Amino acid sequence: MNADAVLPPGMSAARFSRVLAAFESIVGAPNVRRGGAALVPYFDPFAPLADARAFAPSAALLPADIDEIRAILRVANAARVPLWTVSTGRNFAYGGAAPRLAGSVVLDLQRLNRVLDVDERLAWALVEPGVSYFDLYGYLRERGLKLWVDPPAAGWGSVIGNTLERGFGYTAYGDHAAAQCGMEVVLANGDVVRTGMGGLDAGTDAGSSWPLYKPGYGPSFDALFTQSNYGIVTKMGLWLMPAPAAFLIGEIQFAREDDLGVIVDTLRTLQLQGTIVQHAVIEGAIRRAASIGPRERWYAGDGPMPETAIAAMQRDLGIGRWNLHYALYGEPEVIEAQQRIVERAFAPVADARVMSKRYAGGEEPQGGADRNMAGIPTMSAFRMLDWRGGEGAHVDFSPLCPADGRDALRQYSLVKTRAAEYGFDYYGGFTAAGRYLHHVFAAIFVRTDARQATRAGDLLRALMSDARAAGYGVYRSHLLYMDYAAAQYSFNDGALLRLAQTVKDALDPQGVLAPGKQGVWPAAWREMRGYT
Ligand code: ADP
């Protein structure tokens, strides 16, 4: 990878050296990364374009505490240096730790890595940005606390980073933003705010309802700091799931491609009536197979895998064309009743194969997907990178889908057709959350192949455009298309983005915090907006 740093826009090398010297005096020289190998982690490891310098950082800073963050902000405001905050920077497939605006200084909060408090009775934790899902899980296990975390696909990411991006997991607490309660935020002007009940200056944390009751008094702000560039989140409360007495992990394999519609409709009923309360996952055959073996076992060609190869693979592996993976949690007798209801609901679907495994409370399932549903972080999602051989990478297209079988079938066929046109397999699935589904399609490519990487990026753009024409929008986007995605939310000539920019300019007049994140550009850098 070409890891040459670039200068902040409009800044001379001499001036930037002076700025870096000021940063060094705040965080100490070892905590300023200026180039070479030290800066590599701040480039996008999965860049869907030929030249990773489009999102190159100028340097990275690793502050130790809030005072250092505030001092950094003073320098950044005075010198007009754009900062890009990351917690652990594992936002792979959406840009990693790389900034939207080339030449930004990455503010890496990984050294703020304390689990500040956990309350087992009221089932919450208060964490700093550098705490990963593995860390929090380890903390709970070491202390024998009967609480579960809700891991996202890759457990090494930050709890705060994932929650702020509105990531999701697989247990009953799968909607991470919904399980968030209370934040401490450093604003661009250095002010430190605690949201909700944290605004009570009680002088003690005892009896605090900061991590219990979200709204507080007056306007609520927490959501304003998700997928935004309005502040630097330094603490966050989150609700944890009390460890259940028992659980069941089920898989139902469906034989046919067009079963997707009935799966989605049936699952919606089961979720809305409360039989299945977690984020159930509907995986396409290829995604299911990728957790078992590489593509070349069934097809070594260049274009998309043909239907005959997919059918052979399905038979070989004993998997479905669609595979529904779900969990039931609670008292064993309730679980048994729920499982009967699930089986009855899917019984009318011909050739569906039901499998289930039962666990007592403290038991640990094997296999990454099952472990995630049991609140155990894993890295098994990275197996997908082996699907096409070589050094795998992926970018994700993530449209929101109504939990309606017709919409799911429509999105599926739209994505599959367009992906095939660009030479990609439909590697995808749906995570179901009651009224909506997160449809996630991954364009898997070999990262050393610039042509393939660019093609993956082009496909993403085509998919976003197709989806918009059909009335769908993405919930998250790679750096490359943050502006394009924002422009698609175009009601009343882009009133939403105008509002976002008004708030941005009020909170961050110098535009130092994450310019361009989610398409929100501060006045100071607005001319840098651009989408391909
Ligand atoms: P993860 O490692 O969990 O995937 P990242 O640390 O890469 O998460 O964060 C994902 C994105 O969330 C970042 O690119 C940034 O835009 C935003 N972000 C992360 N941490 C913070 C924070 N503490 N304050 C404000 N924004 C943040």
Side-chain angles (χ1 to χ4, degrees), residues 30 36 45 62 77 139 174 204 219 286 300 349 367 375 379 400 403 431 506:
L62 288 82
N77 273 295
Y139 181 100
T204 164
I286 290 179
V349 188
M379 289 301 288
L400 227 279
T431 301

Side-chain angles (χ1 to χ4, degrees), residues 85 87-91 109 157-158 161-162 164-165 231-233 517:
T85 310
S87 286
T88 50
R90 311 285 199 199
N91 196 19
L109 303 183
S158 141
N162 187 276
L164 294 181
E165 286 298 290
I232 298 168
V233 178
K517 182 168 167 55

Side-chain angles (χ1 to χ4, degrees), residues 148-151 169-174 241 277-279 329 372-375:
W148 280 14
V149 299
D150 181 275
Y170 310 94
T171 72
Y173 285 44
M241 178 170 150
V277 295
Q278 47 80 245
H279 272 183
Y329 307 105
N372 281 334
M373 287 196 178

